[in-house]
Amino acid sequence: MVQVTPAKRKEGAGLVIDRNESLTFTPSVPNPITVPPSLKKRKSTLAAVKEDTPSFEEQLEKLSQSTAKVENPEDLWKRPALNPLDPSVDAIVFQQIDVDDVVQAYPETLANPHSIQEASTVRMFGCTMEGHSVTCHVHGFLPYLYVPAPVNFQPHHKEVLHRALNDWFGANRNNRNVPVVDIEMVLKSSIFGYHGKKKALFLRITFRLQSQISAAKRAFTQGIEVPGFGKVACDTYESNIPYPLRFMIDTKIQGASWVELPPSSYQIRTDNAISSSQIEIDVHYSDIRAHQPEGEWQKIAPLRILSFDIECAGRKGIFPEAQVDPVIQIANMVTIQGENRPFIRNVLTLKNCANIVGTHTMSFDDERDLLRKWSEFVVAMDPDLIIGYNINGFDFPYLLDRAAALKVNDFPYLGRIKMSRTNAKDSRFSSKGLGTRDTKTINLEGRLQMDVLQVMQRDYKLRSYTLNSVCAHFLNEQKEDVHYSIIADLQNGNDETRRRLAIYCLKDAYLPQRLIDKLMCVINYMEMARVTGVPFNYLLTRGQQIKVVSQLYRKAKTEDLLIPAKDAEGSDDVQYEGATVIEPEKGFYEQPIATLDFTSLYPSIMMAHNLCYSTHLETLKDAERHGLVRDKDYKVTPDNAFFVKPSVRKGILPTILEDLLAARKRAKNDLKKETDPFKRAVLDGRQLALKVSANSVYGFTGATIGKLPLLAISSSVTAYGREMIELTKSRVESKYTIENGYEFDAKVIYGDTDSVMVKFGVPTVGEAMKLGREAANYVTGYFEKPINLDFEKVYFPYLLINKKRYAGLYWTSPDKHDKMDTKGIETVRRDSCRLVSSVIETCLKKILVDRDVTGAEEYTKGVISDLLQNKIDLSQLVISKALGKTEYSGKQAHNELAERMRKRDAGSAPAIGDRVAYVIAKGTKNAAAYEKAEDPIYVLENNIPIDTKYYLENQLSKPLMRIFEPILGSKANRLLTGDHTRTISVAAPAIGGLMKFAVKSATCLGCKTVLPRSRDATSSDPAVCEHCRPRLPELYVRHLDAQHELEVRFARLWTQCQRCQGSLHQDVICTAQDCPIFYMRKKAQKDMGETAATVKRFDYAW
Amino acid sequence: MLEARLAKAAILKKLLDAIKELVTDANFDCNDSGIALQAMDNSHVALVALMLRSQGFEHFRCDRNHSLGISLASLSKVLKCAGNDDMLTIKSEEDGDILQLVFESPSSDTISEYDLKLMDIDSEHLGIPDTAYDAVVKMPSVAFQRICRDLSNLSESVSIEVDKEGIRFSAAGEMGNGNTRIKQGSAVDDEGVATTIELNQSVNLTFSLKYLSNFTKATPLSDTVSLNMSADVPLLVEYKVSEIGYIRYYLAPKIGDDN
């Protein structure tokens, strides 16, 4: 039977829809109305979700069972106690996670050949395998740069240059703190271009401070007077690399890797410790032993990960402001990397809060005490990594601002360096690949930060980035989305309502942890840091280039090559020809189509043809000068660039790529053998990181505003690629012909960048696979190693719509297809509504998997008919777009709507960076979409009619036609204009100038004629007209059924939401705008009210 | 069974031209007193009411009340096939899903028949109750059309001011402002349709010109237009269609900047 009626519940504030509160359930009647398929499907998924989501409270309880009970929960905060270290016996081995630099006094106890008082030092922060935190001050590693030696530079000139440079800096020569420490003459060569075997004389100039490097770089580019040489102006080499990275490169320390300090090499700081780490030491850089992340050293230290979330009590209609609105709760979850449950779970609340199972609740009456306690907690607990959702954008800045507003002066010291005040600074991250984003940088020395929101935005393309929808996507789990205007109400309630809020807050703190566990962010990022050799935090704060730079420097160092410090001054305008696309022969193929792919195409081209900075010959003259012979010593690429062959000199880039790909092969092999799930995760993360790194090398050479662009490389790479695709096509088509004894003539129907699709004509997948494999081997023979054409998969059937747009069933074994594969089809695009992707997906499934084109047609017609009758769920129609900036040149729907929403309620209006959700409502003829965009909630509340025509013509029609045209040809149009489009429904809105005056007259429920106004104003309208009276019983049953069905539906949705919030005894207060259930619930609620009113009209009839 | 014959197809053509800009699909409610249509425009700011009384038809028969759901764009396409002077007959069965249109040329030697598929339109039936207006202005429809057209060059809205002296339309825009004043009793053009004003109280209201201009699409239907106004009540613009009925437009006044 039916669930408990949720009728008497009060909806949360902020929602304005009246619910019909006096619902009566009607007896169940056999259901004569067929439920549209879309509805049925939704219900079943709904039921499925119900089964496996235990409430969050139950989760908390479970978590508490597995951890040991302690008397005082605060005892858990501290790291494991440290046994006293004996520097003469004990080695210190730790995984360094963060490296930064600072100017420090040079310790007297360490060797000091240049008698320096104060210099740049590197600080490494990390964690030992026993879980002890380490701060390591590295001395003696001084910043340096290279310049080409002026002509006739002799050793005795060093002194002259030394003085000239110090003079330039205006330094006092007798001071022990002069900028230039040392000048050394070395034989090296520039990485740019092939210079033969000869090396040139370079000067390596060492400075005392990192900041002096860029000043010196400026001095040399502008020219500097050196007695005896006149004005020396030259380019500098290796002067624009971050100092900590320079240190890691020179000491061969990879990112997030292990380092060892042998006994007697270090000194422990005790009284003069400046950090809160358990171990703080000074060491000379030459004593550090770096462990390469291989074998045993692939392990990861038991890092402490703190995930937190704060709640603030905002005022109605205004987004919380730190100057005014208090922080009312902070929830924390602390997990040790590699363990699957948080061992510290606590929440700090303002005012009392009822007990929560498995959670340490700390209540405060004064907000200052709450903030102080949290700061104390962070320092005591000493996390290595702090995560959370939008912590950099909101939580951290808010806490810092709030502490400043309340003058809690001891709050903002959250890093590992005791005296370093934590600040939030505005910063802008800009990268060609990842777009521009304004963020805040928070300095937490020695602690890594990972804002999961930023990770999501960087690594995944999603429709919406709210925590709720991200969790729904990755964890298959919804969370309540409590509008911040309700939070204040909960806070001002009693212990129980604050408990409710605390649970919500705890869940928000736990979800980011679960997300990064599920997506293995920590492991993958760590592996990326290890593979590319950059510090962990560069991965989030910097773009792609630094990773290649790091590898390039490391490799170049071994070959005595120097990398010029180019100023990024190129422009974006320089274009070169990209990859080739073979004109697709569009159509629906009901034969197997074999796909041949070049494995790692661009890296393999660079390796095969030895394309590198150091092998490049600028002109033919250069080749002559070095006495090189065409085709024997050097090659001309299809793009007419010249590169020497590996026999003359092996390039750096090909070597890097070879190493990366070999490492990937090893990782993949290890992965196959490995059974331990944790190690598998590490290896998988590694092979992925290696693949991504290998592919980014090509992009690096082509980044014209990059650090080291050389278009000759990138344009040659694409030119080779184009040539290879064409060659593959002609080889396959000339070999697999009837003439050559094959059954059919093979035909390449499409090809793009690194793959070609071949129709061999054979009817079965098995045969196509056999021919595909054979052809791949055959064609590979025509190319230089390591270029490899691989047979990967067969598509059967295959729907080729256009360039970069196709769909098909993906087979890798002849017995069963693996999946449905689609490219460039509107299943993922975010600027179209969900309806489009679900319709397209279902159609493709019906066409490709079920091979039922008629079924797909019928389904599409059904959806269109539902759409025109307003039966489609609003959530399906929501379009979302990120609000990038306030000023758009043209008027854009989301921007205009945000503006209008701000006028209605400044507090709930979307802010910059938010994704604005909107639907298109009906408007005047020819009105632009931006005039018709409307907030979905507003539409729902006011019953504003949806512009169904817009959705049909601007959203659905094009993608549908693309799919159906290759199959149905010109008949495809009937999908959009057939009989099913003739039943429509027009909603009357509840707002608008006229609605105040309009009077609704009842129409007959049987035939829709207008009924005469009833004489008695109090009685309700009759149900039917005179003519339809005989049909009264039939109509009654039909409406009763409809009402009944809606009641059941609403009750189910309501309980679904209650389950999601984890309690069946409380009202639902969730207003998650991304959640389809929310819209369904609202719609069902409203529909139910309407049908109830309709059914009431029958009352009079008896 | 519905069967109705109009002497001239032109009337229906003009009527359709007058509403199809505002409404795309609508129910025609037929009963023995005639055919009526009420619909809100797509942006739910204006309402159109159309009435064709049975007496105005050459022949009219409607056995029982029923609604015809019609796509106005489709109907207008079919009507393009009729000559202005053709005699037009529309027929529909109660349970059928088509509307039959028959055009007979004046000389009766050409007869064309068209079937139009009907739609099932589920919409609420809305109407504006009749009220007594403070000011009722009857003026030449051509003059009204012209004023709306002229002023829409200047601004998006027009304020209409009626007092005992006459009626004044004024618009102010970025580039400047303008107004037109018509005195009571004066004939604006040569054809001599005089402007008359019945006034209980002077009114001053502001309306969107875009909609008013849309309303003037009905100008070919009638020489005069009547503007009925009261403060804070929708404007009623009515065109009488000779002998047969009327077409009425309702438009809510603009308040402040809100639209």
mmCIF file of all heavy atoms in Angstrom, chain A residues 177-196:
data_model
loop_
_atom_site.group_PDB
_atom_site.id
_atom_site.type_symbol
_atom_site.label_atom_id
_atom_site.label_comp_id
_atom_site.label_asym_id
_atom_site.label_seq_id
_atom_site.Cartn_x
_atom_site.Cartn_y
_atom_site.Cartn_z
ATOM 1 N N ASN A 177 77.667 39.718 2.847
ATOM 2 C CA ASN A 177 76.409 39.427 2.199
ATOM 3 C C ASN A 177 76.321 39.957 0.765
ATOM 4 O O ASN A 177 75.288 40.399 0.311
ATOM 5 C CB ASN A 177 75.259 40.007 3.014
ATOM 6 C CG ASN A 177 74.826 39.017 4.083
ATOM 7 O OD1 ASN A 177 75.116 37.831 3.963
ATOM 8 N ND2 ASN A 177 74.159 39.505 5.102
ATOM 9 N N VAL A 178 77.439 39.949 0.053
ATOM 10 C CA VAL A 178 77.398 40.408 -1.340
ATOM 11 C C VAL A 178 76.564 39.438 -2.158
ATOM 12 O O VAL A 178 76.480 38.256 -1.816
ATOM 13 C CB VAL A 178 78.816 40.526 -1.936
ATOM 14 C CG1 VAL A 178 79.540 41.699 -1.333
ATOM 15 C CG2 VAL A 178 79.558 39.228 -1.757
ATOM 16 N N PRO A 179 75.955 39.940 -3.237
ATOM 17 C CA PRO A 179 75.071 39.068 -4.015
ATOM 18 C C PRO A 179 75.809 37.910 -4.691
ATOM 19 O O PRO A 179 75.395 36.757 -4.577
ATOM 20 C CB PRO A 179 74.472 40.003 -5.056
ATOM 21 C CG PRO A 179 74.747 41.383 -4.591
ATOM 22 C CD PRO A 179 75.943 41.330 -3.699
ATOM 23 N N VAL A 180 76.883 38.231 -5.399
ATOM 24 C CA VAL A 180 77.516 37.170 -6.190
ATOM 25 C C VAL A 180 78.462 36.363 -5.297
ATOM 26 O O VAL A 180 79.320 36.916 -4.630
ATOM 27 C CB VAL A 180 78.297 37.776 -7.376
ATOM 28 C CG1 VAL A 180 78.926 36.669 -8.209
ATOM 29 C CG2 VAL A 180 77.365 38.622 -8.210
ATOM 30 N N VAL A 181 78.249 35.076 -5.301
ATOM 31 C CA VAL A 181 79.042 34.217 -4.441
ATOM 32 C C VAL A 181 80.207 33.621 -5.199
ATOM 33 O O VAL A 181 81.326 33.569 -4.727
ATOM 34 C CB VAL A 181 78.164 33.101 -3.854
ATOM 35 C CG1 VAL A 181 79.001 32.105 -3.076
ATOM 36 C CG2 VAL A 181 77.069 33.699 -2.997
ATOM 37 N N ASP A 182 79.931 33.209 -6.421
ATOM 38 C CA ASP A 182 80.958 32.464 -7.127
ATOM 39 C C ASP A 182 80.706 32.519 -8.630
ATOM 40 O O ASP A 182 79.569 32.632 -9.070
ATOM 41 C CB ASP A 182 80.925 30.994 -6.654
ATOM 42 C CG ASP A 182 82.131 30.230 -7.149
ATOM 43 O OD1 ASP A 182 83.151 30.880 -7.460
ATOM 44 O OD2 ASP A 182 82.037 28.997 -7.251
ATOM 45 N N ILE A 183 81.799 32.477 -9.400
ATOM 46 C CA ILE A 183 81.677 32.357 -10.852
ATOM 47 C C ILE A 183 82.541 31.187 -11.284
ATOM 48 O O ILE A 183 83.682 31.053 -10.840
ATOM 49 C CB ILE A 183 82.132 33.646 -11.569
ATOM 50 C CG1 ILE A 183 81.209 34.808 -11.179
ATOM 51 C CG2 ILE A 183 82.131 33.449 -13.080
ATOM 52 C CD1 ILE A 183 81.606 36.128 -11.772
ATOM 53 N N GLU A 184 81.960 30.349 -12.131
ATOM 54 C CA GLU A 184 82.669 29.143 -12.522
ATOM 55 C C GLU A 184 82.615 29.056 -14.043
ATOM 56 O O GLU A 184 81.610 29.441 -14.656
ATOM 57 C CB GLU A 184 81.924 27.952 -11.926
ATOM 58 C CG GLU A 184 82.782 26.754 -11.587
ATOM 59 C CD GLU A 184 81.915 25.645 -11.023
ATOM 60 O OE1 GLU A 184 81.041 25.964 -10.163
ATOM 61 O OE2 GLU A 184 82.046 24.508 -11.469
ATOM 62 N N MET A 185 83.688 28.558 -14.661
ATOM 63 C CA MET A 185 83.675 28.409 -16.124
ATOM 64 C C MET A 185 83.369 26.962 -16.451
ATOM 65 O O MET A 185 84.022 26.051 -15.946
ATOM 66 C CB MET A 185 85.023 28.821 -16.709
ATOM 67 C CG MET A 185 85.261 30.314 -16.540
ATOM 68 S SD MET A 185 86.970 30.765 -16.807
ATOM 69 C CE MET A 185 87.103 30.564 -18.559
ATOM 70 N N VAL A 186 82.368 26.767 -17.306
ATOM 71 C CA VAL A 186 81.978 25.394 -17.645
ATOM 72 C C VAL A 186 81.804 25.259 -19.149
ATOM 73 O O VAL A 186 81.519 26.218 -19.847
ATOM 74 C CB VAL A 186 80.651 25.003 -16.957
ATOM 75 C CG1 VAL A 186 80.870 24.731 -15.485
ATOM 76 C CG2 VAL A 186 79.594 26.074 -17.172
ATOM 77 N N LEU A 187 81.969 24.027 -19.651
ATOM 78 C CA LEU A 187 81.739 23.752 -21.066
ATOM 79 C C LEU A 187 80.367 23.117 -21.228
ATOM 80 O O LEU A 187 80.115 22.037 -20.697
ATOM 81 C CB LEU A 187 82.816 22.813 -21.606
ATOM 82 C CG LEU A 187 84.162 23.474 -21.870
ATOM 83 C CD1 LEU A 187 85.214 22.433 -22.222
ATOM 84 C CD2 LEU A 187 84.054 24.522 -22.973
ATOM 85 N N LYS A 188 79.513 23.814 -21.923
ATOM 86 C CA LYS A 188 78.154 23.323 -22.113
ATOM 87 C C LYS A 188 77.718 23.760 -23.499
ATOM 88 O O LYS A 188 78.449 24.453 -24.206
ATOM 89 C CB LYS A 188 77.198 23.965 -21.091
ATOM 90 C CG LYS A 188 77.550 23.711 -19.639
ATOM 91 C CD LYS A 188 76.626 22.677 -19.056
ATOM 92 C CE LYS A 188 76.918 22.443 -17.593
ATOM 93 N NZ LYS A 188 76.135 21.381 -17.017
ATOM 94 N N SER A 189 76.501 23.359 -23.912
ATOM 95 C CA SER A 189 75.972 23.971 -25.127
ATOM 96 C C SER A 189 74.484 24.220 -24.964
ATOM 97 O O SER A 189 73.834 23.636 -24.099
ATOM 98 C CB SER A 189 76.250 23.107 -26.355
ATOM 99 O OG SER A 189 75.892 21.785 -26.090
ATOM 100 N N SER A 190 73.985 25.118 -25.806
ATOM 101 C CA SER A 190 72.569 25.453 -25.722
ATOM 102 C C SER A 190 71.750 24.312 -26.305
ATOM 103 O O SER A 190 72.177 23.647 -27.255
ATOM 104 C CB SER A 190 72.290 26.737 -26.490
ATOM 105 O OG SER A 190 70.922 26.865 -26.704
ATOM 106 N N ILE A 191 70.574 24.124 -25.751
ATOM 107 C CA ILE A 191 69.737 23.040 -26.255
ATOM 108 C C ILE A 191 69.133 23.397 -27.604
ATOM 109 O O ILE A 191 68.704 22.546 -28.363
ATOM 110 C CB ILE A 191 68.618 22.724 -25.240
ATOM 111 C CG1 ILE A 191 67.977 21.368 -25.536
ATOM 112 C CG2 ILE A 191 67.550 23.811 -25.224
ATOM 113 C CD1 ILE A 191 67.024 20.909 -24.489
ATOM 114 N N PHE A 192 69.152 24.678 -27.915
ATOM 115 C CA PHE A 192 68.506 25.120 -29.148
ATOM 116 C C PHE A 192 69.384 24.866 -30.360
ATOM 117 O O PHE A 192 70.433 25.461 -30.522
ATOM 118 C CB PHE A 192 68.172 26.611 -29.053
ATOM 119 C CG PHE A 192 66.696 26.845 -29.000
ATOM 120 C CD1 PHE A 192 65.992 26.524 -27.862
ATOM 121 C CD2 PHE A 192 66.015 27.354 -30.102
ATOM 122 C CE1 PHE A 192 64.626 26.719 -27.804
ATOM 123 C CE2 PHE A 192 64.651 27.540 -30.044
ATOM 124 C CZ PHE A 192 63.946 27.226 -28.890
ATOM 125 N N GLY A 193 68.951 23.977 -31.224
ATOM 126 C CA GLY A 193 69.662 23.736 -32.473
ATOM 127 C C GLY A 193 70.813 22.772 -32.294
ATOM 128 O O GLY A 193 71.333 22.550 -31.196
ATOM 129 N N TYR A 194 71.244 22.169 -33.414
ATOM 130 C CA TYR A 194 72.361 21.239 -33.414
ATOM 131 C C TYR A 194 73.654 22.020 -33.576
ATOM 132 O O TYR A 194 73.770 22.855 -34.467
ATOM 133 C CB TYR A 194 72.183 20.229 -34.555
ATOM 134 C CG TYR A 194 73.351 19.291 -34.685
ATOM 135 C CD1 TYR A 194 73.573 18.301 -33.724
ATOM 136 C CD2 TYR A 194 74.232 19.398 -35.761
ATOM 137 C CE1 TYR A 194 74.653 17.454 -33.828
ATOM 138 C CE2 TYR A 194 75.315 18.545 -35.874
ATOM 139 C CZ TYR A 194 75.526 17.570 -34.907
ATOM 140 O OH TYR A 194 76.592 16.733 -35.008
ATOM 141 N N HIS A 195 74.579 21.801 -32.688
ATOM 142 C CA HIS A 195 75.838 22.562 -32.744
ATOM 143 C C HIS A 195 77.030 21.682 -33.036
ATOM 144 O O HIS A 195 78.151 22.062 -32.736
ATOM 145 C CB HIS A 195 76.092 23.271 -31.409
ATOM 146 C CG HIS A 195 74.973 24.138 -30.976
ATOM 147 N ND1 HIS A 195 74.653 25.308 -31.622
ATOM 148 C CD2 HIS A 195 74.078 24.009 -29.977
ATOM 149 C CE1 HIS A 195 73.617 25.857 -31.033
ATOM 150 N NE2 HIS A 195 73.242 25.080 -30.040
ATOM 151 N N GLY A 196 76.800 20.514 -33.535
ATOM 152 C CA GLY A 196 77.928 19.618 -33.705
ATOM 153 C C GLY A 196 78.381 19.101 -32.352
ATOM 154 O O GLY A 196 77.669 19.205 -31.359
#
